[in-house]
Amino acid sequence: MDTNAIKARLQELKKEIEARMDKTRDHIRHVDGPVEQDFEEQAVSRKNDDVIYQLDSRGRDDLAQINNALRRIERGTYFVCKRCGEEIEPERLQALPYTDQCRNCAG
């Protein structure tokens, strides 16, 4: 596998996630408008906010994994499972380019 192509793919994923996180943060800060005055509308909005907070948290986790994968590429350890030290299967890296575990260790 070409590490330059992998690095470019990871950087593209990183940009996509950062853009999505910008949108979720705008929603959390109510950039599009003030909080609803109606109590029922506020309740619905709060439920939506819970989902947005979860998406933001997931985005932060994904970014951390991508940044870790980029560091592993720089160190030359990208293809090595962090748990067992064996090679991570190329098809697994194709599907999950930021994974740091082989299929066996990921369970």
Side-chain angles (χ1 to χ4, degrees):
M1 294 181 76
D2 178 18
T3 55
N4 288 328
I6 295 166
K7 189 174 182 178
R9 183 172 176 213
L10 287 167
Q11 289 170 334
E12 185 61 34
L13 283 172
K14 184 176 178 176
K15 286 180 189 176
E16 290 172 14
I17 293 169
E18 288 171 338
R20 191 174 35 209
M21 288 179 65
D22 286 343
K23 290 178 184 178
T24 60
R25 288 187 187 121
D26 286 349
H27 180 83
I28 289 168
R29 291 188 301 248
H30 301 284
V31 171
D32 295 333
V35 177
E36 294 290 334
Q37 295 297 320
D38 182 61
F39 178 75
E40 288 179 22
E41 290 294 325
Q42 284 182 10
V44 170
S45 180
R46 289 191 194 278
K47 284 184 183 180
N48 290 342
D49 286 349
D50 288 343
V51 172
I52 297 299
Y53 285 122
Q54 290 175 357
L55 289 172
D56 186 64
S57 177
R58 177 58 195 223
R60 280 186 269 122
D61 290 344
D62 289 346
L63 280 178
Q65 289 180 323
I66 289 169
N67 287 329
N68 185 40
L70 290 167
R71 283 190 297 275
R72 289 190 345 262
I73 288 172
E74 295 303 317
R75 289 190 302 242
T77 61
Y78 177 74
F79 299 100
V80 179
C81 176
K82 77 171 188 174
R83 293 187 75 194
C84 70
E86 295 295 320
E87 184 177 339
I88 301 172
E89 302 85 357
E91 60 274 0
R92 180 164 170 76
L93 289 170
Q94 184 67 32
L96 296 167
Y98 47 81
T99 190
D100 60 1
Q101 294 180 12
C102 68
R103 188 176 299 133
N104 290 336
C105 291

PDB file of all heavy atoms in Angstrom, residues 3-32:
ATOM      1  N   THR A   3       1.879   4.670   1.135  1.00  0.00           N
ATOM      2  CA  THR A   3       1.648   5.508   2.316  1.00  0.00           C
ATOM      3  C   THR A   3       1.293   6.947   1.955  1.00  0.00           C
ATOM      4  O   THR A   3       0.565   7.599   2.705  1.00  0.00           O
ATOM      5  CB  THR A   3       2.860   5.485   3.275  1.00  0.00           C
ATOM      6  OG1 THR A   3       4.025   5.868   2.569  1.00  0.00           O
ATOM      7  CG2 THR A   3       3.030   4.126   3.914  1.00  0.00           C
ATOM      8  N   ASN A   4       1.776   7.442   0.813  1.00  0.00           N
ATOM      9  CA  ASN A   4       1.396   8.800   0.396  1.00  0.00           C
ATOM     10  C   ASN A   4      -0.091   8.878   0.089  1.00  0.00           C
ATOM     11  O   ASN A   4      -0.756   9.857   0.448  1.00  0.00           O
ATOM     12  CB  ASN A   4       2.219   9.251  -0.814  1.00  0.00           C
ATOM     13  CG  ASN A   4       3.649   9.550  -0.434  1.00  0.00           C
ATOM     14  OD1 ASN A   4       3.950   9.992   0.665  1.00  0.00           O
ATOM     15  ND2 ASN A   4       4.564   9.267  -1.355  1.00  0.00           N
ATOM     16  N   ALA A   5      -0.621   7.853  -0.563  1.00  0.00           N
ATOM     17  CA  ALA A   5      -2.052   7.810  -0.865  1.00  0.00           C
ATOM     18  C   ALA A   5      -2.867   7.666   0.422  1.00  0.00           C
ATOM     19  O   ALA A   5      -3.917   8.307   0.573  1.00  0.00           O
ATOM     20  CB  ALA A   5      -2.358   6.665  -1.822  1.00  0.00           C
ATOM     21  N   ILE A   6      -2.379   6.858   1.342  1.00  0.00           N
ATOM     22  CA  ILE A   6      -3.062   6.677   2.622  1.00  0.00           C
ATOM     23  C   ILE A   6      -3.070   7.994   3.393  1.00  0.00           C
ATOM     24  O   ILE A   6      -4.103   8.407   3.941  1.00  0.00           O
ATOM     25  CB  ILE A   6      -2.383   5.566   3.456  1.00  0.00           C
ATOM     26  CG1 ILE A   6      -2.528   4.223   2.755  1.00  0.00           C
ATOM     27  CG2 ILE A   6      -2.969   5.510   4.860  1.00  0.00           C
ATOM     28  CD1 ILE A   6      -1.634   3.140   3.308  1.00  0.00           C
ATOM     29  N   LYS A   7      -1.935   8.659   3.423  1.00  0.00           N
ATOM     30  CA  LYS A   7      -1.824   9.937   4.118  1.00  0.00           C
ATOM     31  C   LYS A   7      -2.789  10.965   3.522  1.00  0.00           C
ATOM     32  O   LYS A   7      -3.481  11.674   4.258  1.00  0.00           O
ATOM     33  CB  LYS A   7      -0.381  10.443   4.036  1.00  0.00           C
ATOM     34  CG  LYS A   7      -0.097  11.639   4.880  1.00  0.00           C
ATOM     35  CD  LYS A   7       1.396  11.962   4.831  1.00  0.00           C
ATOM     36  CE  LYS A   7       1.734  13.138   5.716  1.00  0.00           C
ATOM     37  NZ  LYS A   7       3.173  13.428   5.717  1.00  0.00           N
ATOM     38  N   ALA A   8      -2.866  11.016   2.198  1.00  0.00           N
ATOM     39  CA  ALA A   8      -3.782  11.947   1.537  1.00  0.00           C
ATOM     40  C   ALA A   8      -5.232  11.618   1.884  1.00  0.00           C
ATOM     41  O   ALA A   8      -6.042  12.521   2.142  1.00  0.00           O
ATOM     42  CB  ALA A   8      -3.569  11.898   0.025  1.00  0.00           C
ATOM     43  N   ARG A   9      -5.555  10.340   1.920  1.00  0.00           N
ATOM     44  CA  ARG A   9      -6.923   9.924   2.284  1.00  0.00           C
ATOM     45  C   ARG A   9      -7.245  10.299   3.722  1.00  0.00           C
ATOM     46  O   ARG A   9      -8.331  10.806   4.011  1.00  0.00           O
ATOM     47  CB  ARG A   9      -7.077   8.420   2.080  1.00  0.00           C
ATOM     48  CG  ARG A   9      -8.464   7.927   2.365  1.00  0.00           C
ATOM     49  CD  ARG A   9      -8.632   6.485   1.964  1.00  0.00           C
ATOM     50  NE  ARG A   9      -9.970   6.042   2.345  1.00  0.00           N
ATOM     51  CZ  ARG A   9     -10.249   4.818   2.733  1.00  0.00           C
ATOM     52  NH1 ARG A   9      -9.301   3.889   2.754  1.00  0.00           N
ATOM     53  NH2 ARG A   9     -11.463   4.486   3.080  1.00  0.00           N
ATOM     54  N   LEU A  10      -6.316  10.072   4.625  1.00  0.00           N
ATOM     55  CA  LEU A  10      -6.525  10.442   6.023  1.00  0.00           C
ATOM     56  C   LEU A  10      -6.689  11.952   6.174  1.00  0.00           C
ATOM     57  O   LEU A  10      -7.545  12.415   6.942  1.00  0.00           O
ATOM     58  CB  LEU A  10      -5.358   9.947   6.886  1.00  0.00           C
ATOM     59  CG  LEU A  10      -5.306   8.443   7.137  1.00  0.00           C
ATOM     60  CD1 LEU A  10      -3.954   8.051   7.710  1.00  0.00           C
ATOM     61  CD2 LEU A  10      -6.429   8.020   8.075  1.00  0.00           C
ATOM     62  N   GLN A  11      -5.905  12.726   5.454  1.00  0.00           N
ATOM     63  CA  GLN A  11      -6.016  14.180   5.531  1.00  0.00           C
ATOM     64  C   GLN A  11      -7.361  14.657   4.980  1.00  0.00           C
ATOM     65  O   GLN A  11      -7.950  15.599   5.512  1.00  0.00           O
ATOM     66  CB  GLN A  11      -4.842  14.843   4.811  1.00  0.00           C
ATOM     67  CG  GLN A  11      -3.541  14.658   5.571  1.00  0.00           C
ATOM     68  CD  GLN A  11      -2.309  15.084   4.790  1.00  0.00           C
ATOM     69  OE1 GLN A  11      -2.293  15.085   3.567  1.00  0.00           O
ATOM     70  NE2 GLN A  11      -1.260  15.427   5.515  1.00  0.00           N
ATOM     71  N   GLU A  12      -7.847  13.995   3.946  1.00  0.00           N
ATOM     72  CA  GLU A  12      -9.166  14.338   3.399  1.00  0.00           C
ATOM     73  C   GLU A  12     -10.269  14.005   4.405  1.00  0.00           C
ATOM     74  O   GLU A  12     -11.192  14.789   4.617  1.00  0.00           O
ATOM     75  CB  GLU A  12      -9.397  13.609   2.073  1.00  0.00           C
ATOM     76  CG  GLU A  12     -10.665  13.996   1.375  1.00  0.00           C
ATOM     77  CD  GLU A  12     -10.727  15.472   1.005  1.00  0.00           C
ATOM     78  OE1 GLU A  12      -9.678  16.067   0.675  1.00  0.00           O
ATOM     79  OE2 GLU A  12     -11.837  16.041   1.034  1.00  0.00           O
ATOM     80  N   LEU A  13     -10.177  12.821   5.021  1.00  0.00           N
ATOM     81  CA  LEU A  13     -11.143  12.452   6.063  1.00  0.00           C
ATOM     82  C   LEU A  13     -11.111  13.458   7.202  1.00  0.00           C
ATOM     83  O   LEU A  13     -12.159  13.846   7.743  1.00  0.00           O
ATOM     84  CB  LEU A  13     -10.827  11.051   6.605  1.00  0.00           C
ATOM     85  CG  LEU A  13     -11.229   9.863   5.763  1.00  0.00           C
ATOM     86  CD1 LEU A  13     -10.663   8.578   6.357  1.00  0.00           C
ATOM     87  CD2 LEU A  13     -12.747   9.773   5.682  1.00  0.00           C
ATOM     88  N   LYS A  14      -9.917  13.887   7.565  1.00  0.00           N
ATOM     89  CA  LYS A  14      -9.760  14.864   8.643  1.00  0.00           C
ATOM     90  C   LYS A  14     -10.479  16.172   8.296  1.00  0.00           C
ATOM     91  O   LYS A  14     -11.204  16.720   9.127  1.00  0.00           O
ATOM     92  CB  LYS A  14      -8.262  15.105   8.888  1.00  0.00           C
ATOM     93  CG  LYS A  14      -7.971  16.032  10.035  1.00  0.00           C
ATOM     94  CD  LYS A  14      -6.463  16.137  10.253  1.00  0.00           C
ATOM     95  CE  LYS A  14      -6.164  17.116  11.367  1.00  0.00           C
ATOM     96  NZ  LYS A  14      -4.740  17.172  11.675  1.00  0.00           N
ATOM     97  N   LYS A  15     -10.320  16.641   7.070  1.00  0.00           N
ATOM     98  CA  LYS A  15     -10.995  17.872   6.638  1.00  0.00           C
ATOM     99  C   LYS A  15     -12.507  17.718   6.681  1.00  0.00           C
ATOM    100  O   LYS A  15     -13.226  18.622   7.117  1.00  0.00           O
ATOM    101  CB  LYS A  15     -10.557  18.250   5.219  1.00  0.00           C
ATOM    102  CG  LYS A  15      -9.180  18.819   5.127  1.00  0.00           C
ATOM    103  CD  LYS A  15      -8.838  19.148   3.692  1.00  0.00           C
ATOM    104  CE  LYS A  15      -7.383  19.506   3.532  1.00  0.00           C
ATOM    105  NZ  LYS A  15      -7.028  19.741   2.120  1.00  0.00           N
ATOM    106  N   GLU A  16     -13.008  16.567   6.232  1.00  0.00           N
ATOM    107  CA  GLU A  16     -14.450  16.315   6.245  1.00  0.00           C
ATOM    108  C   GLU A  16     -15.001  16.323   7.666  1.00  0.00           C
ATOM    109  O   GLU A  16     -16.045  16.919   7.930  1.00  0.00           O
ATOM    110  CB  GLU A  16     -14.757  14.974   5.580  1.00  0.00           C
ATOM    111  CG  GLU A  16     -14.540  14.956   4.093  1.00  0.00           C
ATOM    112  CD  GLU A  16     -14.677  13.565   3.494  1.00  0.00           C
ATOM    113  OE1 GLU A  16     -15.193  12.649   4.175  1.00  0.00           O
ATOM    114  OE2 GLU A  16     -14.252  13.382   2.336  1.00  0.00           O
ATOM    115  N   ILE A  17     -14.299  15.669   8.568  1.00  0.00           N
ATOM    116  CA  ILE A  17     -14.747  15.608   9.960  1.00  0.00           C
ATOM    117  C   ILE A  17     -14.685  16.992  10.605  1.00  0.00           C
ATOM    118  O   ILE A  17     -15.605  17.391  11.318  1.00  0.00           O
ATOM    119  CB  ILE A  17     -13.936  14.574  10.759  1.00  0.00           C
ATOM    120  CG1 ILE A  17     -14.254  13.171  10.243  1.00  0.00           C
ATOM    121  CG2 ILE A  17     -14.204  14.686  12.256  1.00  0.00           C
ATOM    122  CD1 ILE A  17     -13.340  12.094  10.752  1.00  0.00           C
ATOM    123  N   GLU A  18     -13.624  17.733  10.344  1.00  0.00           N
ATOM    124  CA  GLU A  18     -13.510  19.084  10.904  1.00  0.00           C
ATOM    125  C   GLU A  18     -14.638  19.978  10.399  1.00  0.00           C
ATOM    126  O   GLU A  18     -15.207  20.754  11.174  1.00  0.00           O
ATOM    127  CB  GLU A  18     -12.148  19.686  10.557  1.00  0.00           C
ATOM    128  CG  GLU A  18     -11.018  19.060  11.331  1.00  0.00           C
ATOM    129  CD  GLU A  18      -9.635  19.490  10.861  1.00  0.00           C
ATOM    130  OE1 GLU A  18      -9.482  19.945   9.704  1.00  0.00           O
ATOM    131  OE2 GLU A  18      -8.695  19.350  11.663  1.00  0.00           O
ATOM    132  N   ALA A  19     -15.000  19.863   9.122  1.00  0.00           N
ATOM    133  CA  ALA A  19     -16.104  20.657   8.576  1.00  0.00           C
ATOM    134  C   ALA A  19     -17.424  20.264   9.240  1.00  0.00           C
ATOM    135  O   ALA A  19     -18.234  21.133   9.588  1.00  0.00           O
ATOM    136  CB  ALA A  19     -16.188  20.468   7.065  1.00  0.00           C
ATOM    137  N   ARG A  20     -17.639  18.974   9.418  1.00  0.00           N
ATOM    138  CA  ARG A  20     -18.856  18.500  10.082  1.00  0.00           C
ATOM    139  C   ARG A  20     -18.910  18.987  11.524  1.00  0.00           C
ATOM    140  O   ARG A  20     -19.953  19.406  12.019  1.00  0.00           O
ATOM    141  CB  ARG A  20     -18.898  16.975  10.002  1.00  0.00           C
ATOM    142  CG  ARG A  20     -20.215  16.381  10.422  1.00  0.00           C
ATOM    143  CD  ARG A  20     -20.251  14.895  10.192  1.00  0.00           C
ATOM    144  NE  ARG A  20     -18.940  14.297  10.420  1.00  0.00           N
ATOM    145  CZ  ARG A  20     -18.500  13.211   9.818  1.00  0.00           C
ATOM    146  NH1 ARG A  20     -19.220  12.591   8.944  1.00  0.00           N
ATOM    147  NH2 ARG A  20     -17.317  12.715  10.094  1.00  0.00           N
ATOM    148  N   MET A  21     -17.751  18.969  12.203  1.00  0.00           N
ATOM    149  CA  MET A  21     -17.707  19.429  13.588  1.00  0.00           C
ATOM    150  C   MET A  21     -17.964  20.931  13.685  1.00  0.00           C
ATOM    151  O   MET A  21     -18.585  21.392  14.642  1.00  0.00           O
ATOM    152  CB  MET A  21     -16.372  19.049  14.226  1.00  0.00           C
ATOM    153  CG  MET A  21     -16.260  17.557  14.490  1.00  0.00           C
ATOM    154  SD  MET A  21     -14.672  17.106  15.203  1.00  0.00           S
ATOM    155  CE  MET A  21     -14.765  17.941  16.774  1.00  0.00           C
ATOM    156  N   ASP A  22     -17.509  21.689  12.708  1.00  0.00           N
ATOM    157  CA  ASP A  22     -17.808  23.129  12.692  1.00  0.00           C
ATOM    158  C   ASP A  22     -19.313  23.348  12.648  1.00  0.00           C
ATOM    159  O   ASP A  22     -19.842  24.215  13.345  1.00  0.00           O
ATOM    160  CB  ASP A  22     -17.144  23.811  11.494  1.00  0.00           C
ATOM    161  CG  ASP A  22     -15.640  23.974  11.652  1.00  0.00           C
ATOM    162  OD1 ASP A  22     -15.138  23.858  12.798  1.00  0.00           O
ATOM    163  OD2 ASP A  22     -14.971  24.212  10.627  1.00  0.00           O
ATOM    164  N   LYS A  23     -20.015  22.554  11.844  1.00  0.00           N
ATOM    165  CA  LYS A  23     -21.475  22.672  11.750  1.00  0.00           C
ATOM    166  C   LYS A  23     -22.150  22.288  13.065  1.00  0.00           C
ATOM    167  O   LYS A  23     -23.099  22.950  13.490  1.00  0.00           O
ATOM    168  CB  LYS A  23     -22.007  21.810  10.610  1.00  0.00           C
ATOM    169  CG  LYS A  23     -21.644  22.334   9.245  1.00  0.00           C
ATOM    170  CD  LYS A  23     -22.159  21.424   8.155  1.00  0.00           C
ATOM    171  CE  LYS A  23     -21.699  21.911   6.795  1.00  0.00           C
ATOM    172  NZ  LYS A  23     -22.139  21.030   5.712  1.00  0.00           N
ATOM    173  N   THR A  24     -21.663  21.230  13.700  1.00  0.00           N
ATOM    174  CA  THR A  24     -22.286  20.833  14.969  1.00  0.00           C
ATOM    175  C   THR A  24     -22.044  21.892  16.037  1.00  0.00           C
ATOM    176  O   THR A  24     -22.936  22.191  16.818  1.00  0.00           O
ATOM    177  CB  THR A  24     -21.778  19.459  15.460  1.00  0.00           C
ATOM    178  OG1 THR A  24     -20.381  19.496  15.668  1.00  0.00           O
ATOM    179  CG2 THR A  24     -22.127  18.356  14.490  1.00  0.00           C
ATOM    180  N   ARG A  25     -20.861  22.477  16.048  1.00  0.00           N
ATOM    181  CA  ARG A  25     -20.581  23.533  17.039  1.00  0.00           C
ATOM    182  C   ARG A  25     -21.437  24.766  16.784  1.00  0.00           C
ATOM    183  O   ARG A  25     -21.902  25.410  17.730  1.00  0.00           O
ATOM    184  CB  ARG A  25     -19.102  23.873  17.033  1.00  0.00           C
ATOM    185  CG  ARG A  25     -18.272  22.773  17.655  1.00  0.00           C
ATOM    186  CD  ARG A  25     -16.809  23.162  17.803  1.00  0.00           C
ATOM    187  NE  ARG A  25     -16.057  22.016  18.242  1.00  0.00           N
ATOM    188  CZ  ARG A  25     -15.037  21.496  17.579  1.00  0.00           C
ATOM    189  NH1 ARG A  25     -14.619  22.030  16.457  1.00  0.00           N
ATOM    190  NH2 ARG A  25     -14.409  20.439  18.041  1.00  0.00           N
ATOM    191  N   ASP A  26     -21.657  25.089  15.516  1.00  0.00           N
ATOM    192  CA  ASP A  26     -22.549  26.207  15.192  1.00  0.00           C
ATOM    193  C   ASP A  26     -23.956  25.928  15.707  1.00  0.00           C
ATOM    194  O   ASP A  26     -24.622  26.813  16.244  1.00  0.00           O
ATOM    195  CB  ASP A  26     -22.596  26.450  13.679  1.00  0.00           C
ATOM    196  CG  ASP A  26     -21.336  27.110  13.144  1.00  0.00           C
ATOM    197  OD1 ASP A  26     -20.503  27.580  13.965  1.00  0.00           O
ATOM    198  OD2 ASP A  26     -21.182  27.146  11.908  1.00  0.00           O
ATOM    199  N   HIS A  27     -24.399  24.688  15.550  1.00  0.00           N
ATOM    200  CA  HIS A  27     -25.732  24.319  16.044  1.00  0.00           C
ATOM    201  C   HIS A  27     -25.777  24.429  17.574  1.00  0.00           C
ATOM    202  O   HIS A  27     -26.752  24.958  18.121  1.00  0.00           O
ATOM    203  CB  HIS A  27     -26.086  22.892  15.611  1.00  0.00           C
ATOM    204  CG  HIS A  27     -27.428  22.458  16.082  1.00  0.00           C
ATOM    205  ND1 HIS A  27     -28.585  22.768  15.412  1.00  0.00           N
ATOM    206  CD2 HIS A  27     -27.799  21.756  17.172  1.00  0.00           C
ATOM    207  CE1 HIS A  27     -29.613  22.277  16.072  1.00  0.00           C
ATOM    208  NE2 HIS A  27     -29.158  21.643  17.144  1.00  0.00           N
ATOM    209  N   ILE A  28     -24.749  23.944  18.231  1.00  0.00           N
ATOM    210  CA  ILE A  28     -24.712  23.985  19.695  1.00  0.00           C
ATOM    211  C   ILE A  28     -24.754  25.429  20.193  1.00  0.00           C
ATOM    212  O   ILE A  28     -25.424  25.753  21.171  1.00  0.00           O
ATOM    213  CB  ILE A  28     -23.455  23.256  20.224  1.00  0.00           C
ATOM    214  CG1 ILE A  28     -23.603  21.742  19.996  1.00  0.00           C
ATOM    215  CG2 ILE A  28     -23.209  23.572  21.698  1.00  0.00           C
ATOM    216  CD1 ILE A  28     -22.329  20.952  20.214  1.00  0.00           C
ATOM    217  N   ARG A  29     -24.050  26.323  19.492  1.00  0.00           N
ATOM    218  CA  ARG A  29     -24.014  27.741  19.889  1.00  0.00           C
ATOM    219  C   ARG A  29     -25.214  28.523  19.361  1.00  0.00           C
ATOM    220  O   ARG A  29     -25.294  29.727  19.566  1.00  0.00           O
ATOM    221  CB  ARG A  29     -22.725  28.382  19.388  1.00  0.00           C
ATOM    222  CG  ARG A  29     -21.483  27.875  20.093  1.00  0.00           C
ATOM    223  CD  ARG A  29     -20.263  28.674  19.698  1.00  0.00           C
ATOM    224  NE  ARG A  29     -20.020  28.634  18.264  1.00  0.00           N
ATOM    225  CZ  ARG A  29     -18.991  28.037  17.670  1.00  0.00           C
ATOM    226  NH1 ARG A  29     -18.079  27.453  18.401  1.00  0.00           N
ATOM    227  NH2 ARG A  29     -18.866  28.029  16.369  1.00  0.00           N
ATOM    228  N   HIS A  30     -26.132  27.841  18.678  1.00  0.00           N
ATOM    229  CA  HIS A  30     -27.334  28.466  18.123  1.00  0.00           C
ATOM    230  C   HIS A  30     -26.998  29.631  17.202  1.00  0.00           C
ATOM    231  O   HIS A  30     -27.611  30.692  17.251  1.00  0.00           O
ATOM    232  CB  HIS A  30     -28.277  28.918  19.245  1.00  0.00           C
ATOM    233  CG  HIS A  30     -28.708  27.802  20.134  1.00  0.00           C
ATOM    234  ND1 HIS A  30     -29.656  26.883  19.760  1.00  0.00           N
ATOM    235  CD2 HIS A  30     -28.280  27.414  21.365  1.00  0.00           C
ATOM    236  CE1 HIS A  30     -29.809  25.989  20.724  1.00  0.00           C
ATOM    237  NE2 HIS A  30     -28.984  26.284  21.701  1.00  0.00           N
ATOM    238  N   VAL A  31     -26.012  29.409  16.340  1.00  0.00           N
ATOM    239  CA  VAL A  31     -25.589  30.428  15.383  1.00  0.00           C
ATOM    240  C   VAL A  31     -26.722  30.770  14.409  1.00  0.00           C
ATOM    241  O   VAL A  31     -26.855  31.911  13.976  1.00  0.00           O
ATOM    242  CB  VAL A  31     -24.326  29.965  14.625  1.00  0.00           C
ATOM    243  CG1 VAL A  31     -23.988  30.885  13.474  1.00  0.00           C
ATOM    244  CG2 VAL A  31     -23.157  29.870  15.594  1.00  0.00           C
ATOM    245  N   ASP A  32     -27.547  29.769  14.087  1.00  0.00           N
ATOM    246  CA  ASP A  32     -28.620  29.978  13.108  1.00  0.00           C
ATOM    247  C   ASP A  32     -29.813  30.743  13.663  1.00  0.00           C
ATOM    248  O   ASP A  32     -30.692  31.138  12.915  1.00  0.00           O
ATOM    249  CB  ASP A  32     -29.106  28.633  12.558  1.00  0.00           C
ATOM    250  CG  ASP A  32     -28.028  27.924  11.755  1.00  0.00           C
ATOM    251  OD1 ASP A  32     -27.150  28.610  11.202  1.00  0.00           O
ATOM    252  OD2 ASP A  32     -28.077  26.685  11.685  1.00  0.00           O
TER     253      ASP A  32
END
